[in-house]
Amino acid sequence: MKLKPIKTEQDYFQALERLELIFDAKPETKEGDELEILGILLEKYEDEHFPMELPDPIEAIKFRMEQLDYSQNDLAEVIGLKSRASEILNKKRKLSLDMIRKLTEKLHIPSEVLIQAY
């Protein structure tokens, strides 16, 4: 396939078809290089045409807690008091800058997710 910018929906679907054909290409081969470039082009098109919104900060915390098998007590150890963790999870208290820093450091939730209004 001749690589070119993806400008239309037809270009996009053709690129996806080609990606499926060369998906298992070995790195540092002609097809491997094509796969890498095609991935970059597809990602750019998708970012422009199918933007994803950031998740709700509290839902992101709950999701990450579930992934880590954290309880409310575990969250309290990260951000402070157990009552504070409860207030945060029930959206009765806003996250402070200090809490955002701790959640980003300990739970690896991006700060751009946590700083959103909710």
Side-chain angles (χ1 to χ4, degrees):
M1 175 180 186
K2 182 180 175 194
L3 291 174
K4 62 180 183 166
I6 300 172
K7 296 180 181 177
T8 67
E9 195 171 296
Q10 182 180 358
D11 292 342
Y12 175 71
F13 287 117
Q14 287 175 345
L16 284 176
E17 285 178 16
R18 180 64 183 157
L19 181 83
E20 285 182 32
L21 290 173
I22 62 171
F23 190 76
D24 293 322
K26 302 247 187 278
E28 300 187 30
T29 63
K30 187 177 177 182
E31 283 188 338
D33 291 345
E34 181 184 356
L35 177 65
E36 185 175 346
I37 294 167
L38 199 53
I40 293 167
L41 293 172
L42 284 164
E43 181 179 12
K44 182 180 183 304
Y45 182 87
E46 289 171 348
D47 287 348
E48 290 173 4
H49 293 87
F50 311 113
M52 291 185 67
E53 293 184 23
L54 294 174
D56 175 84
I58 304 308
E59 293 306 314
I61 293 170
K62 290 177 180 178
F63 178 74
R64 189 66 178 134
M65 286 174 63
E66 186 178 315
Q67 285 181 318
L68 298 172
D69 198 28
Y70 268 32
S71 67
Q72 190 171 313
N73 289 337
D74 296 321
L75 180 63
E77 289 181 25
V78 174
I79 62 172
L81 304 171
K82 185 176 179 182
S83 61
R84 189 166 294 145
S86 175
E87 291 171 344
I88 294 295
L89 293 174
N90 290 305
K91 296 186 178 184
K92 292 181 179 177
R93 177 186 286 265
K94 299 288 182 189
L95 292 167
S96 69
L97 183 57
D98 187 51
M99 288 179 207
I100 291 170
R101 286 182 179 136
K102 289 176 181 177
L103 290 165
T104 297
E105 180 184 329
K106 302 283 186 188
L107 273 62
H108 305 286
I109 301 171
S111 58
E112 56 268 14
V113 169
L114 298 171
I115 62 171
Q116 298 178 96
Y118 58 93

